[in-house]
Structure formats: structure tokens, C-alpha cells
Amino acid sequence: MKKQRKKIAQLFVGAVSIVLIINACKEKDIAPGESVKAEVSTSSAAQLNAIGLMSGNPILPVPTADPDVIYADGKYYIYTTATGPNASQFHAYSSPDLLNWTDEGIVLDLANVSWAQTDGWAPSVVARNGKYYFYFTAAKKIGVAVGDTPIGPFVDKGSALATGDGSDPIDPMVFIDTDGQAYMYWGNTTFNIQRLDSDMISLTGERGHNKPSNYFEAAYVIKRNDIYYLMYSVNHFGNDDYHVEYATSTNPMGPWTNKGRITSPRGEIKGPGHNAVIRKPGCSEEYFFVYHRRTSTNIHERQVAIDRMFFDAAGNIMPINITNSGVTQTGPSAPCYTPDPIPDGQYAIRSKVNTTTGAGLYLDIAGCSQGNADVRTWTRTDCDGQKWNLTYQGNGFYKIISALPTHKSLDLDACGIDRGANIQVWDVFSNDCQLWRIESLGNGSYRIMSKSSNNVLDIADGDPTPGADVRSWNWNGTDAQIWEFEAP
């Protein structure tokens, strides 16, 4: 899926990882922010793409597509389109923390399905009645298999659940409403919606076809504040601009009002689509957006990725920022983040890194420049270049504006997606380069994350020398990435 130079790079990273694992056995102390990946076996392959304490993207160890995601028994599980002979073998991948993913092996093999043995696509999994229900496409029909655990083994019910209307009745998605009623959504071009019976393996009631504008395939539904959000993919999956849009309704069967696009290609990353969404367990407003994308010109070499999803103050889904760093480590004990932990006001922003003599280092505009300028560290001064006005935007993010007379905004240079992108102050714009999420780490410490890249403010190389560059970097938990907000 990746270009040849990236395949070579992956082999190099894998070799380095093996060396690190060996060294870790000799030296029990691991540098802060570094994580040694689980050992790899033929039956359980752990993902090696995690960087620092972030998932990295893509997150799964093999090219695959059309993900669904659930949380069960203390783990996240992702299910994807089948691999193997004639796309006949469905796998599940599990993770306790969104960083390290283990291939749980084949959970359903179409060789064991009597009515279809090819083209196993786009599964959807839900838990109910003490069982797990695995909905899938096979030979352009919808099937359902039942298992006792999130990894099965899943046993097909013995016949197709539905064919649906239209020429391509594919991509099932099952949503269970708060009143207990379950619905299945499916279909390419023609959109099918129908209730599931309480047994979860038969359909009941009238079939609906309310379709939002631009709908093509891959429906996914969530409910938030009594509003139903229907996400769906637009264009053929091989199109570079394959993307996700969404619509809303007050009824799970529609009608639907299109609200616009939430993913777009970014640089060499094409076709971000066919998504699923999961809310962090126990947290009311933390959503993760799982989807596939590609960097290869081969449209079949797709990769599964994960990024954050946010709502604005009016309840609209904000455009998803497609990133390379992915999301931070999120296990069962991880706290829920408060979207606005710092009151609006003016602050000096101090690093946890001190100089070698113990003096504090602060986020500083070089030379107190009143124009567009670089941001660095410096010891405390009276200059307004160390005073920052924070204003919460009502959507999980802040604007951070210099107190200098020209009022420049803290800015991620060119909205750089890669770690190492420069931090500066620039003319104030409304784009994501100038939106920042502030997340509490406890004890008055915070990380400051770019909406555009999901990377954090970082002192280059943890340099304690005044004047060190401030850049963006993936979160690794080192002092160079931890900040405090003090009275100016």
C-alpha cells in the first residue's frame, strides 16, 4: 500500500524495533516516552507503527479496508473487509489502548458459509443478548453470524439475512437505539433501512429508502443529544476524493438533511472514507473516527487509520483532521478530558523543562517581534511576547493570541501534518492551523495539541538552553511537551 521507499523504511523500523526489544531485555529502564511493542508471532501480530505514546497512522499491520469498531471486555476491536482467497477470511484486531493492535486471527471464514464463499466485505458487529452478532457482505448479499465472544468463532445462521433493493446491496451497519430497537442500514447507491427483530438475525417491518443527498455507500449511524447522525461515503472507493459526508434526522429512518463533508484528501493521503465511530468508554464527549485511506496508486491497497472527531457548539460534526500521528494512548483507566480546562484569560506558558541553573523557560516570541515570527523558549521577561490570551471556541479548542500590540496568533506553520513542523505566530485566521486543544495531565500540567496535526507543542530535543526552538511533535510524555499556565 505504501510506496517503495516507505516499504523500505518500514523494514528498517521493524529491524530497529527488534533491536530495541533485545536491548530492553538487557536494560530494564526505557527512556521516557518510548514504548517497546509486543512480540510478534505467527498467530498474533502487534502493530509496530505506534510512535511515542500515539497510535500512528495507519494502525493495522496489513493493508485492509472498511473498518468497524466496538469496545468489549476492556479492549477495542476492529473488524475489516476479508482477506485471503477470494476475500473470504474475516479477521479481528484487538487493542487495550489504541496503540498496539493484535491480529486475533480468522473470526469468520466464508468457506464455512453455505450460501456464499466470495467477496466478504465491510462487517458490522454489535453485542446483544449475551452474544455478538457479525453482519457481513458476501457475494453481494447480507449475512449474519453469531458468536459468544468479540472474536467468535462466528457461526453463520445458514442463509442470507437480506439481499436488499438495488444492484449492490452491500455494507451493512447495525445501530441499536436507546429504546432498544435495532436497525440495519445497507446498500450502494440504493439505501436500505429496516428494523431488526429482537433475535437480531431476522428483519421486521417496512423497508425504508430515505436517502440523503450525495449518498453512495457505507452508512454509519450514531445518536447524540436525540439527534441521529448518518455518516456515509461519497464517490467510488477508487476515486482520490472518496470521502465521508453526514446528514442528520430526528428519526433513525429519516428523512435526512445533508450537513456537508467531514473528510477530505490531504497531501499524499487519498480516499479517506468508509468510517466507523466509537465513543471512549465512560466519556460523554470523546469520539474516535476509524476509517480507511490510501497512499498507493493501487486503489486496492488501503490502510485503516484513526483520528479524533469533534462537535462544535451547535452540534455539527467538525471536519476530521487526517493525521499521521493518530491518537494518544487510551486505555480503560485513561481519564476523560475536559474540553475547556483553562478559563479564558491571559497567561504566561511555562515549560516543565528548566535551564541548567533551574530558571523557568517560557513560550516566547523571539525578540518580542510584533510581526509574524518564530516561537521559542526564553527565561522570564516583562515583554508581552510571553503573555498569551486564551479564548475557548466552544468546540474543544482554544485560540491562543499574543498580547503584543499586533495580536498575532499561535500558529502551526503551513498546517504541517508531520512531526517537526514549526510553531510560530502569524496573522489571525480561522483555519485549523491556529486552533489548539489543551488537555490536563493532572497536578497543574497540560499538553497543548494542534487541531490540524494532533501533535503537541514540543521543545526541540528537550533543550534547556534559552532560545531553543518550539516545534510540533507526536506526544511522548516527556517534560519538553508539558506546560503550565501562570499569571502573566
Side-chain angles (χ1 to χ4, degrees), residues 348-351 353-355 359-368 375-383 385-386 388 459 463-470 483:
I349 303 176
R350 178 176 177 166
S351 171
V353 174
N354 292 326
T355 68
L361 289 171
Y362 292 81
L363 198 65
D364 178 277
I365 298 173
C368 283
V375 171
R376 61 177 188 180
T377 64
W378 202 259
T379 53
R380 191 68 182 266
T381 71
D382 293 329
C383 176
Q386 292 187 356
W388 302 91
I459 299 174
D463 189 347
T465 307
D469 186 47
V470 175
W483 305 85

PDB file of all heavy atoms in Angstrom, residues 348-351 353-355 359-368 375-383 385-386 388 459 463-470 483:
ATOM      1  N   ALA A 348       1.101  33.400  31.178  1.00  0.00           N
ATOM      2  CA  ALA A 348       2.436  33.028  30.738  1.00  0.00           C
ATOM      3  C   ALA A 348       2.460  31.495  30.687  1.00  0.00           C
ATOM      4  O   ALA A 348       1.936  30.837  31.591  1.00  0.00           O
ATOM      5  CB  ALA A 348       3.492  33.548  31.702  1.00  0.00           C
ATOM      6  N   ILE A 349       3.051  30.940  29.636  1.00  0.00           N
ATOM      7  CA  ILE A 349       3.017  29.491  29.432  1.00  0.00           C
ATOM      8  C   ILE A 349       4.418  28.944  29.689  1.00  0.00           C
ATOM      9  O   ILE A 349       5.351  29.201  28.918  1.00  0.00           O
ATOM     10  CB  ILE A 349       2.519  29.145  28.022  1.00  0.00           C
ATOM     11  CG1 ILE A 349       1.124  29.760  27.791  1.00  0.00           C
ATOM     12  CG2 ILE A 349       2.474  27.634  27.826  1.00  0.00           C
ATOM     13  CD1 ILE A 349       0.576  29.548  26.392  1.00  0.00           C
ATOM     14  N   ARG A 350       4.557  28.212  30.783  1.00  0.00           N
ATOM     15  CA  ARG A 350       5.876  27.749  31.247  1.00  0.00           C
ATOM     16  C   ARG A 350       6.076  26.264  30.952  1.00  0.00           C
ATOM     17  O   ARG A 350       5.190  25.445  31.199  1.00  0.00           O
ATOM     18  CB  ARG A 350       6.015  27.990  32.753  1.00  0.00           C
ATOM     19  CG  ARG A 350       7.331  27.497  33.332  1.00  0.00           C
ATOM     20  CD  ARG A 350       7.482  27.834  34.793  1.00  0.00           C
ATOM     21  NE  ARG A 350       8.733  27.288  35.335  1.00  0.00           N
ATOM     22  CZ  ARG A 350       9.260  27.640  36.505  1.00  0.00           C
ATOM     23  NH1 ARG A 350       8.632  28.527  37.272  1.00  0.00           N
ATOM     24  NH2 ARG A 350      10.391  27.091  36.919  1.00  0.00           N
ATOM     25  N   SER A 351       7.268  25.944  30.459  1.00  0.00           N
ATOM     26  CA  SER A 351       7.625  24.551  30.203  1.00  0.00           C
ATOM     27  C   SER A 351       7.997  23.854  31.504  1.00  0.00           C
ATOM     28  O   SER A 351       8.450  24.473  32.466  1.00  0.00           O
ATOM     29  CB  SER A 351       8.817  24.489  29.242  1.00  0.00           C
ATOM     30  OG  SER A 351       9.305  23.156  29.141  1.00  0.00           O
ATOM     31  N   VAL A 353      10.431  21.924  31.452  1.00  0.00           N
ATOM     32  CA  VAL A 353      11.885  21.956  31.339  1.00  0.00           C
ATOM     33  C   VAL A 353      12.402  23.266  31.921  1.00  0.00           C
ATOM     34  O   VAL A 353      11.887  24.341  31.606  1.00  0.00           O
ATOM     35  CB  VAL A 353      12.329  21.816  29.874  1.00  0.00           C
ATOM     36  CG1 VAL A 353      13.836  21.997  29.737  1.00  0.00           C
ATOM     37  CG2 VAL A 353      11.899  20.468  29.309  1.00  0.00           C
ATOM     38  N   ASN A 354      13.393  23.198  32.776  1.00  0.00           N
ATOM     39  CA  ASN A 354      14.083  24.373  33.293  1.00  0.00           C
ATOM     40  C   ASN A 354      15.474  24.478  32.680  1.00  0.00           C
ATOM     41  O   ASN A 354      16.005  23.502  32.124  1.00  0.00           O
ATOM     42  CB  ASN A 354      14.210  24.306  34.820  1.00  0.00           C
ATOM     43  CG  ASN A 354      12.867  24.433  35.517  1.00  0.00           C
ATOM     44  OD1 ASN A 354      11.978  25.143  35.057  1.00  0.00           O
ATOM     45  ND2 ASN A 354      12.714  23.726  36.623  1.00  0.00           N
ATOM     46  N   THR A 355      16.107  25.637  32.832  1.00  0.00           N
ATOM     47  CA  THR A 355      17.503  25.775  32.422  1.00  0.00           C
ATOM     48  C   THR A 355      18.380  24.933  33.349  1.00  0.00           C
ATOM     49  O   THR A 355      17.931  24.453  34.402  1.00  0.00           O
ATOM     50  CB  THR A 355      17.961  27.237  32.486  1.00  0.00           C
ATOM     51  OG1 THR A 355      18.006  27.645  33.857  1.00  0.00           O
ATOM     52  CG2 THR A 355      17.025  28.148  31.702  1.00  0.00           C
ATOM     53  N   ALA A 359      16.296  27.951  36.241  1.00  0.00           N
ATOM     54  CA  ALA A 359      15.367  29.018  35.845  1.00  0.00           C
ATOM     55  C   ALA A 359      14.263  28.452  34.959  1.00  0.00           C
ATOM     56  O   ALA A 359      14.476  27.495  34.205  1.00  0.00           O
ATOM     57  CB  ALA A 359      16.108  30.128  35.117  1.00  0.00           C
ATOM     58  N   GLY A 360      13.080  29.066  35.026  1.00  0.00           N
ATOM     59  CA  GLY A 360      11.970  28.625  34.202  1.00  0.00           C
ATOM     60  C   GLY A 360      12.129  29.030  32.747  1.00  0.00           C
ATOM     61  O   GLY A 360      12.762  30.049  32.438  1.00  0.00           O
ATOM     62  N   LEU A 361      11.559  28.230  31.854  1.00  0.00           N
ATOM     63  CA  LEU A 361      11.544  28.544  30.425  1.00  0.00           C
ATOM     64  C   LEU A 361      10.094  28.745  29.985  1.00  0.00           C
ATOM     65  O   LEU A 361       9.224  27.961  30.343  1.00  0.00           O
ATOM     66  CB  LEU A 361      12.187  27.416  29.615  1.00  0.00           C
ATOM     67  CG  LEU A 361      13.707  27.272  29.763  1.00  0.00           C
ATOM     68  CD1 LEU A 361      14.182  25.990  29.091  1.00  0.00           C
ATOM     69  CD2 LEU A 361      14.421  28.477  29.154  1.00  0.00           C
ATOM     70  N   TYR A 362       9.870  29.794  29.194  1.00  0.00           N
ATOM     71  CA  TYR A 362       8.517  30.200  28.821  1.00  0.00           C
ATOM     72  C   TYR A 362       8.359  30.252  27.307  1.00  0.00           C
ATOM     73  O   TYR A 362       9.328  30.476  26.570  1.00  0.00           O
ATOM     74  CB  TYR A 362       8.203  31.572  29.428  1.00  0.00           C
ATOM     75  CG  TYR A 362       8.084  31.526  30.931  1.00  0.00           C
ATOM     76  CD1 TYR A 362       9.209  31.538  31.739  1.00  0.00           C
ATOM     77  CD2 TYR A 362       6.828  31.430  31.540  1.00  0.00           C
ATOM     78  CE1 TYR A 362       9.106  31.464  33.126  1.00  0.00           C
ATOM     79  CE2 TYR A 362       6.710  31.363  32.928  1.00  0.00           C
ATOM     80  CZ  TYR A 362       7.852  31.376  33.704  1.00  0.00           C
ATOM     81  OH  TYR A 362       7.738  31.293  35.080  1.00  0.00           O
ATOM     82  N   LEU A 363       7.124  30.053  26.864  1.00  0.00           N
ATOM     83  CA  LEU A 363       6.791  30.212  25.449  1.00  0.00           C
ATOM     84  C   LEU A 363       6.952  31.680  25.095  1.00  0.00           C
ATOM     85  O   LEU A 363       6.312  32.552  25.707  1.00  0.00           O
ATOM     86  CB  LEU A 363       5.352  29.757  25.210  1.00  0.00           C
ATOM     87  CG  LEU A 363       4.944  29.432  23.781  1.00  0.00           C
ATOM     88  CD1 LEU A 363       5.716  28.227  23.252  1.00  0.00           C
ATOM     89  CD2 LEU A 363       3.451  29.157  23.717  1.00  0.00           C
ATOM     90  N   ASP A 364       7.799  31.963  24.102  1.00  0.00           N
ATOM     91  CA  ASP A 364       8.290  33.319  23.886  1.00  0.00           C
ATOM     92  C   ASP A 364       8.358  33.628  22.392  1.00  0.00           C
ATOM     93  O   ASP A 364       8.719  32.754  21.590  1.00  0.00           O
ATOM     94  CB  ASP A 364       9.688  33.423  24.520  1.00  0.00           C
ATOM     95  CG  ASP A 364      10.362  34.763  24.336  1.00  0.00           C
ATOM     96  OD1 ASP A 364      10.966  34.987  23.267  1.00  0.00           O
ATOM     97  OD2 ASP A 364      10.313  35.572  25.280  1.00  0.00           O
ATOM     98  N   ILE A 365       8.028  34.854  22.022  1.00  0.00           N
ATOM     99  CA  ILE A 365       8.192  35.312  20.646  1.00  0.00           C
ATOM    100  C   ILE A 365       9.586  35.913  20.525  1.00  0.00           C
ATOM    101  O   ILE A 365       9.933  36.841  21.264  1.00  0.00           O
ATOM    102  CB  ILE A 365       7.128  36.347  20.264  1.00  0.00           C
ATOM    103  CG1 ILE A 365       5.739  35.709  20.343  1.00  0.00           C
ATOM    104  CG2 ILE A 365       7.388  36.895  18.862  1.00  0.00           C
ATOM    105  CD1 ILE A 365       4.608  36.696  20.154  1.00  0.00           C
ATOM    106  N   ALA A 366      10.373  35.395  19.625  1.00  0.00           N
ATOM    107  CA  ALA A 366      11.771  35.808  19.513  1.00  0.00           C
ATOM    108  C   ALA A 366      11.893  37.310  19.361  1.00  0.00           C
ATOM    109  O   ALA A 366      11.288  37.914  18.473  1.00  0.00           O
ATOM    110  CB  ALA A 366      12.427  35.099  18.325  1.00  0.00           C
ATOM    111  N   GLY A 367      12.665  37.911  20.252  1.00  0.00           N
ATOM    112  CA  GLY A 367      12.920  39.346  20.177  1.00  0.00           C
ATOM    113  C   GLY A 367      11.700  40.210  20.391  1.00  0.00           C
ATOM    114  O   GLY A 367      11.708  41.394  20.054  1.00  0.00           O
ATOM    115  N   CYS A 368      10.640  39.635  20.957  1.00  0.00           N
ATOM    116  CA  CYS A 368       9.375  40.366  21.128  1.00  0.00           C
ATOM    117  C   CYS A 368       8.903  40.987  19.821  1.00  0.00           C
ATOM    118  O   CYS A 368       8.304  42.068  19.788  1.00  0.00           O
ATOM    119  CB  CYS A 368       9.502  41.448  22.209  1.00  0.00           C
ATOM    120  SG  CYS A 368       9.446  40.771  23.875  1.00  0.00           S
ATOM    121  N   VAL A 375       8.486  31.088  17.278  1.00  0.00           N
ATOM    122  CA  VAL A 375       8.249  30.928  18.717  1.00  0.00           C
ATOM    123  C   VAL A 375       9.341  30.034  19.277  1.00  0.00           C
ATOM    124  O   VAL A 375       9.708  29.022  18.675  1.00  0.00           O
ATOM    125  CB  VAL A 375       6.850  30.325  18.980  1.00  0.00           C
ATOM    126  CG1 VAL A 375       6.681  29.949  20.434  1.00  0.00           C
ATOM    127  CG2 VAL A 375       5.771  31.326  18.573  1.00  0.00           C
ATOM    128  N   ARG A 376       9.852  30.404  20.445  1.00  0.00           N
ATOM    129  CA  ARG A 376      10.973  29.712  21.062  1.00  0.00           C
ATOM    130  C   ARG A 376      10.741  29.651  22.568  1.00  0.00           C
ATOM    131  O   ARG A 376       9.658  29.988  23.055  1.00  0.00           O
ATOM    132  CB  ARG A 376      12.265  30.492  20.788  1.00  0.00           C
ATOM    133  CG  ARG A 376      12.169  31.902  21.399  1.00  0.00           C
ATOM    134  CD  ARG A 376      13.404  32.729  21.253  1.00  0.00           C
ATOM    135  NE  ARG A 376      13.272  33.967  22.020  1.00  0.00           N
ATOM    136  CZ  ARG A 376      14.212  34.907  22.094  1.00  0.00           C
ATOM    137  NH1 ARG A 376      15.341  34.748  21.427  1.00  0.00           N
ATOM    138  NH2 ARG A 376      14.023  35.992  22.818  1.00  0.00           N
ATOM    139  N   THR A 377      11.755  29.229  23.307  1.00  0.00           N
ATOM    140  CA  THR A 377      11.722  29.360  24.760  1.00  0.00           C
ATOM    141  C   THR A 377      12.639  30.507  25.188  1.00  0.00           C
ATOM    142  O   THR A 377      13.585  30.865  24.471  1.00  0.00           O
ATOM    143  CB  THR A 377      12.220  28.086  25.451  1.00  0.00           C
ATOM    144  OG1 THR A 377      13.599  27.867  25.116  1.00  0.00           O
ATOM    145  CG2 THR A 377      11.396  26.880  25.038  1.00  0.00           C
ATOM    146  N   TRP A 378      12.322  31.046  26.359  1.00  0.00           N
ATOM    147  CA  TRP A 378      13.219  32.053  26.947  1.00  0.00           C
ATOM    148  C   TRP A 378      12.910  32.151  28.434  1.00  0.00           C
ATOM    149  O   TRP A 378      11.819  31.773  28.868  1.00  0.00           O
ATOM    150  CB  TRP A 378      13.044  33.413  26.277  1.00  0.00           C
ATOM    151  CG  TRP A 378      14.252  34.306  26.448  1.00  0.00           C
ATOM    152  CD1 TRP A 378      14.408  35.326  27.322  1.00  0.00           C
ATOM    153  CD2 TRP A 378      15.480  34.221  25.712  1.00  0.00           C
ATOM    154  NE1 TRP A 378      15.652  35.897  27.191  1.00  0.00           N
ATOM    155  CE2 TRP A 378      16.350  35.224  26.200  1.00  0.00           C
ATOM    156  CE3 TRP A 378      15.942  33.374  24.696  1.00  0.00           C
ATOM    157  CZ2 TRP A 378      17.635  35.421  25.707  1.00  0.00           C
ATOM    158  CZ3 TRP A 378      17.223  33.570  24.210  1.00  0.00           C
ATOM    159  CH2 TRP A 378      18.056  34.582  24.706  1.00  0.00           C
ATOM    160  N   THR A 379      13.888  32.617  29.194  1.00  0.00           N
ATOM    161  CA  THR A 379      13.630  32.854  30.612  1.00  0.00           C
ATOM    162  C   THR A 379      12.657  34.014  30.772  1.00  0.00           C
ATOM    163  O   THR A 379      12.432  34.789  29.840  1.00  0.00           O
ATOM    164  CB  THR A 379      14.936  33.139  31.356  1.00  0.00           C
ATOM    165  OG1 THR A 379      15.641  34.191  30.688  1.00  0.00           O
ATOM    166  CG2 THR A 379      15.806  31.886  31.417  1.00  0.00           C
ATOM    167  N   ARG A 380      12.094  34.142  31.962  1.00  0.00           N
ATOM    168  CA  ARG A 380      11.006  35.098  32.196  1.00  0.00           C
ATOM    169  C   ARG A 380      11.456  36.539  31.961  1.00  0.00           C
ATOM    170  O   ARG A 380      12.517  36.959  32.449  1.00  0.00           O
ATOM    171  CB  ARG A 380      10.467  34.942  33.619  1.00  0.00           C
ATOM    172  CG  ARG A 380       9.155  35.711  33.883  1.00  0.00           C
ATOM    173  CD  ARG A 380       8.014  35.105  33.082  1.00  0.00           C
ATOM    174  NE  ARG A 380       6.781  35.831  33.269  1.00  0.00           N
ATOM    175  CZ  ARG A 380       5.847  35.532  34.165  1.00  0.00           C
ATOM    176  NH1 ARG A 380       6.036  34.493  34.978  1.00  0.00           N
ATOM    177  NH2 ARG A 380       4.737  36.213  34.251  1.00  0.00           N
ATOM    178  N   THR A 381      10.660  37.295  31.222  1.00  0.00           N
ATOM    179  CA  THR A 381      10.883  38.724  30.983  1.00  0.00           C
ATOM    180  C   THR A 381       9.563  39.458  31.186  1.00  0.00           C
ATOM    181  O   THR A 381       8.517  38.842  31.406  1.00  0.00           O
ATOM    182  CB  THR A 381      11.380  38.988  29.547  1.00  0.00           C
ATOM    183  OG1 THR A 381      10.291  38.754  28.631  1.00  0.00           O
ATOM    184  CG2 THR A 381      12.561  38.087  29.185  1.00  0.00           C
ATOM    185  N   ASP A 382       9.601  40.768  31.074  1.00  0.00           N
ATOM    186  CA  ASP A 382       8.383  41.575  31.165  1.00  0.00           C
ATOM    187  C   ASP A 382       7.749  41.817  29.806  1.00  0.00           C
ATOM    188  O   ASP A 382       6.717  42.493  29.705  1.00  0.00           O
ATOM    189  CB  ASP A 382       8.694  42.929  31.824  1.00  0.00           C
ATOM    190  CG  ASP A 382       9.080  42.778  33.292  1.00  0.00           C
ATOM    191  OD1 ASP A 382       8.579  41.838  33.927  1.00  0.00           O
ATOM    192  OD2 ASP A 382       9.889  43.596  33.777  1.00  0.00           O
ATOM    193  N   CYS A 383       8.353  41.286  28.750  1.00  0.00           N
ATOM    194  CA  CYS A 383       7.867  41.536  27.396  1.00  0.00           C
ATOM    195  C   CYS A 383       6.515  40.883  27.164  1.00  0.00           C
ATOM    196  O   CYS A 383       6.248  39.765  27.632  1.00  0.00           O
ATOM    197  CB  CYS A 383       8.880  41.019  26.390  1.00  0.00           C
ATOM    198  SG  CYS A 383       8.329  41.162  24.677  1.00  0.00           S
ATOM    199  N   GLY A 385       5.615  39.509  24.661  1.00  0.00           N
ATOM    200  CA  GLY A 385       5.828  38.312  23.854  1.00  0.00           C
ATOM    201  C   GLY A 385       5.755  37.035  24.659  1.00  0.00           C
ATOM    202  O   GLY A 385       5.775  35.940  24.097  1.00  0.00           O
ATOM    203  N   GLN A 386       5.666  37.153  25.990  1.00  0.00           N
ATOM    204  CA  GLN A 386       5.464  35.984  26.851  1.00  0.00           C
ATOM    205  C   GLN A 386       4.078  35.982  27.493  1.00  0.00           C
ATOM    206  O   GLN A 386       3.827  35.207  28.420  1.00  0.00           O
ATOM    207  CB  GLN A 386       6.541  35.933  27.938  1.00  0.00           C
ATOM    208  CG  GLN A 386       7.930  35.645  27.392  1.00  0.00           C
ATOM    209  CD  GLN A 386       8.951  35.436  28.487  1.00  0.00           C
ATOM    210  OE1 GLN A 386       8.660  35.575  29.669  1.00  0.00           O
ATOM    211  NE2 GLN A 386      10.173  35.111  28.092  1.00  0.00           N
ATOM    212  N   TRP A 388      -0.017  35.504  26.766  1.00  0.00           N
ATOM    213  CA  TRP A 388      -0.877  34.870  25.767  1.00  0.00           C
ATOM    214  C   TRP A 388      -2.326  34.931  26.225  1.00  0.00           C
ATOM    215  O   TRP A 388      -2.640  34.564  27.355  1.00  0.00           O
ATOM    216  CB  TRP A 388      -0.451  33.423  25.556  1.00  0.00           C
ATOM    217  CG  TRP A 388       0.971  33.291  25.133  1.00  0.00           C
ATOM    218  CD1 TRP A 388       2.062  33.132  25.941  1.00  0.00           C
ATOM    219  CD2 TRP A 388       1.475  33.334  23.791  1.00  0.00           C
ATOM    220  NE1 TRP A 388       3.214  33.056  25.191  1.00  0.00           N
ATOM    221  CE2 TRP A 388       2.880  33.172  23.872  1.00  0.00           C
ATOM    222  CE3 TRP A 388       0.882  33.475  22.535  1.00  0.00           C
ATOM    223  CZ2 TRP A 388       3.702  33.156  22.735  1.00  0.00           C
ATOM    224  CZ3 TRP A 388       1.687  33.458  21.406  1.00  0.00           C
ATOM    225  CH2 TRP A 388       3.076  33.303  21.515  1.00  0.00           C
ATOM    226  N   ILE A 459       9.580  21.268  22.917  1.00  0.00           N
ATOM    227  CA  ILE A 459      10.870  21.932  22.837  1.00  0.00           C
ATOM    228  C   ILE A 459      11.836  20.986  22.136  1.00  0.00           C
ATOM    229  O   ILE A 459      12.047  19.852  22.576  1.00  0.00           O
ATOM    230  CB  ILE A 459      11.402  22.295  24.231  1.00  0.00           C
ATOM    231  CG1 ILE A 459      10.444  23.260  24.920  1.00  0.00           C
ATOM    232  CG2 ILE A 459      12.793  22.909  24.133  1.00  0.00           C
ATOM    233  CD1 ILE A 459      10.814  23.553  26.363  1.00  0.00           C
ATOM    234  N   ASP A 463      15.826  20.692  24.794  1.00  0.00           N
ATOM    235  CA  ASP A 463      16.967  21.580  25.043  1.00  0.00           C
ATOM    236  C   ASP A 463      16.654  22.574  26.156  1.00  0.00           C
ATOM    237  O   ASP A 463      15.712  23.365  26.046  1.00  0.00           O
ATOM    238  CB  ASP A 463      17.297  22.326  23.750  1.00  0.00           C
ATOM    239  CG  ASP A 463      18.593  23.108  23.825  1.00  0.00           C
ATOM    240  OD1 ASP A 463      19.131  23.282  24.931  1.00  0.00           O
ATOM    241  OD2 ASP A 463      19.065  23.566  22.756  1.00  0.00           O
ATOM    242  N   PRO A 464      17.449  22.592  27.263  1.00  0.00           N
ATOM    243  CA  PRO A 464      17.186  23.520  28.358  1.00  0.00           C
ATOM    244  C   PRO A 464      17.790  24.907  28.148  1.00  0.00           C
ATOM    245  O   PRO A 464      17.704  25.767  29.029  1.00  0.00           O
ATOM    246  CB  PRO A 464      17.848  22.823  29.553  1.00  0.00           C
ATOM    247  CG  PRO A 464      19.011  22.105  28.962  1.00  0.00           C
ATOM    248  CD  PRO A 464      18.541  21.650  27.595  1.00  0.00           C
ATOM    249  N   THR A 465      18.383  25.127  26.981  1.00  0.00           N
ATOM    250  CA  THR A 465      19.026  26.410  26.705  1.00  0.00           C
ATOM    251  C   THR A 465      17.984  27.438  26.264  1.00  0.00           C
ATOM    252  O   THR A 465      17.195  27.166  25.348  1.00  0.00           O
ATOM    253  CB  THR A 465      20.077  26.252  25.586  1.00  0.00           C
ATOM    254  OG1 THR A 465      20.970  25.201  25.927  1.00  0.00           O
ATOM    255  CG2 THR A 465      20.838  27.547  25.375  1.00  0.00           C
ATOM    256  N   PRO A 466      17.939  28.630  26.865  1.00  0.00           N
ATOM    257  CA  PRO A 466      17.009  29.661  26.384  1.00  0.00           C
ATOM    258  C   PRO A 466      17.224  29.918  24.896  1.00  0.00           C
ATOM    259  O   PRO A 466      18.360  29.992  24.415  1.00  0.00           O
ATOM    260  CB  PRO A 466      17.389  30.883  27.228  1.00  0.00           C
ATOM    261  CG  PRO A 466      17.989  30.305  28.481  1.00  0.00           C
ATOM    262  CD  PRO A 466      18.725  29.085  28.033  1.00  0.00           C
ATOM    263  N   GLY A 467      16.122  30.027  24.171  1.00  0.00           N
ATOM    264  CA  GLY A 467      16.201  30.228  22.726  1.00  0.00           C
ATOM    265  C   GLY A 467      15.990  28.976  21.922  1.00  0.00           C
ATOM    266  O   GLY A 467      15.988  29.007  20.687  1.00  0.00           O
ATOM    267  N   ALA A 468      15.774  27.832  22.602  1.00  0.00           N
ATOM    268  CA  ALA A 468      15.525  26.575  21.881  1.00  0.00           C
ATOM    269  C   ALA A 468      14.231  26.667  21.076  1.00  0.00           C
ATOM    270  O   ALA A 468      13.268  27.327  21.488  1.00  0.00           O
ATOM    271  CB  ALA A 468      15.455  25.414  22.862  1.00  0.00           C
ATOM    272  N   ASP A 469      14.214  26.012  19.951  1.00  0.00           N
ATOM    273  CA  ASP A 469      13.062  26.062  19.060  1.00  0.00           C
ATOM    274  C   ASP A 469      11.870  25.305  19.653  1.00  0.00           C
ATOM    275  O   ASP A 469      12.036  24.253  20.280  1.00  0.00           O
ATOM    276  CB  ASP A 469      13.421  25.456  17.708  1.00  0.00           C
ATOM    277  CG  ASP A 469      12.309  25.620  16.682  1.00  0.00           C
ATOM    278  OD1 ASP A 469      11.787  26.736  16.568  1.00  0.00           O
ATOM    279  OD2 ASP A 469      11.966  24.633  16.008  1.00  0.00           O
ATOM    280  N   VAL A 470      10.674  25.852  19.441  1.00  0.00           N
ATOM    281  CA  VAL A 470       9.436  25.161  19.790  1.00  0.00           C
ATOM    282  C   VAL A 470       8.812  24.676  18.491  1.00  0.00           C
ATOM    283  O   VAL A 470       8.612  25.446  17.552  1.00  0.00           O
ATOM    284  CB  VAL A 470       8.475  26.074  20.559  1.00  0.00           C
ATOM    285  CG1 VAL A 470       7.146  25.367  20.802  1.00  0.00           C
ATOM    286  CG2 VAL A 470       9.093  26.486  21.897  1.00  0.00           C
ATOM    287  N   TRP A 483       3.356  21.638  29.888  1.00  0.00           N
ATOM    288  CA  TRP A 483       3.307  23.086  30.099  1.00  0.00           C
ATOM    289  C   TRP A 483       2.406  23.441  31.274  1.00  0.00           C
ATOM    290  O   TRP A 483       1.479  22.695  31.592  1.00  0.00           O
ATOM    291  CB  TRP A 483       2.821  23.783  28.820  1.00  0.00           C
ATOM    292  CG  TRP A 483       3.620  23.438  27.615  1.00  0.00           C
ATOM    293  CD1 TRP A 483       3.446  22.352  26.793  1.00  0.00           C
ATOM    294  CD2 TRP A 483       4.757  24.130  27.111  1.00  0.00           C
ATOM    295  NE1 TRP A 483       4.398  22.341  25.790  1.00  0.00           N
ATOM    296  CE2 TRP A 483       5.220  23.416  25.957  1.00  0.00           C
ATOM    297  CE3 TRP A 483       5.433  25.300  27.491  1.00  0.00           C
ATOM    298  CZ2 TRP A 483       6.307  23.843  25.203  1.00  0.00           C
ATOM    299  CZ3 TRP A 483       6.524  25.715  26.735  1.00  0.00           C
ATOM    300  CH2 TRP A 483       6.953  24.995  25.609  1.00  0.00           C
TER     301      TRP A 483
END
